[in-house]
Amino acid sequence: MECCCYLTAVRFDKKDKHRALATEFVGNYIKQIVGNEVLLNNVFVDNAVMQDLYLFYFAMNYIEEGSDKSLKSLQVLALEGMVEYCTNSSNKLKMTKELKEIQKLINEGTIEQSIENSALIISA
């Protein structure tokens, strides 16, 4: 949880060595706990930074909510966290085309349905 809080509370800096270590730790944790099933189809495939950010928020919500939430609900919470993080300009990560589309689905209230129907396949 400390790693997730650090990674989501400080602005993005690719030269931050603590960020690199925390990223590796969170990635290994998620792989051990839930495997790759947390990833979304064809989303953030070519953007490691966004994939990592998604995993940070997924892990944080998984730790907080545990088995009380479904996989889809945890994925939605992770995407909502990403949107919030990237819309804050002080975090130095811009909204990607994919994330803007996800934000639109969140605002429409159809994000969980899109994940459930595997419709969350967005071309870059």
Side-chain angles (χ1 to χ4, degrees):
M1 182 57 110
E2 285 184 42
C3 289
C4 292
C5 288
Y6 174 77
L7 292 164
T8 58
V10 299
R11 71 175 163 208
F12 177 76
D13 179 3
K14 65 182 177 182
K15 295 179 184 178
D16 181 353
K17 292 180 183 181
H18 297 289
R19 181 176 207 76
L21 291 171
T23 298
E24 183 180 348
F25 183 83
V26 171
N28 289 335
Y29 171 77
I30 287 297
K31 284 180 186 173
Q32 292 296 315
I33 299 301
V34 292
N36 288 329
E37 67 184 37
V38 303
L39 299 176
L40 300 167
N41 294 332
N42 299 325
V43 180
F44 313 122
V45 174
D46 296 328
N47 192 330
V49 172
M50 288 296 163
Q51 265 188 347
D52 289 343
L53 186 62
Y54 170 77
L55 288 177
F56 305 155
Y57 278 102
F58 184 91
M60 187 167 65
N61 288 303
Y62 180 83
I63 293 166
E64 287 178 348
E65 304 291 338
S67 60
D68 293 340
K69 295 275 186 179
S70 70
L71 176 64
K72 301 299 179 233
S73 296
L74 291 169
Q75 290 171 323
V76 169
L77 290 170
L79 292 170
E80 290 171 345
M82 290 182 69
V83 167
E84 185 177 326
Y85 185 90
C86 290
T87 56
N88 182 346
S89 61
S90 67
N91 286 327
K92 307 236 180 202
L93 276 181
K94 294 182 180 180
M95 293 282 285
T96 63
K97 184 177 179 181
E98 287 177 309
L99 208 49
K100 287 178 184 177
E101 183 65 29
I102 288 168
Q103 182 180 32
K104 180 181 169 189
L105 292 171
I106 290 169
N107 292 339
E108 292 172 352
T110 60
I111 187 73
E112 192 164 348
Q113 182 181 2
S114 295
I115 293 171
E116 188 75 32
N117 297 334
S118 296
L120 194 61
I121 302 172
I122 302 167
S123 58

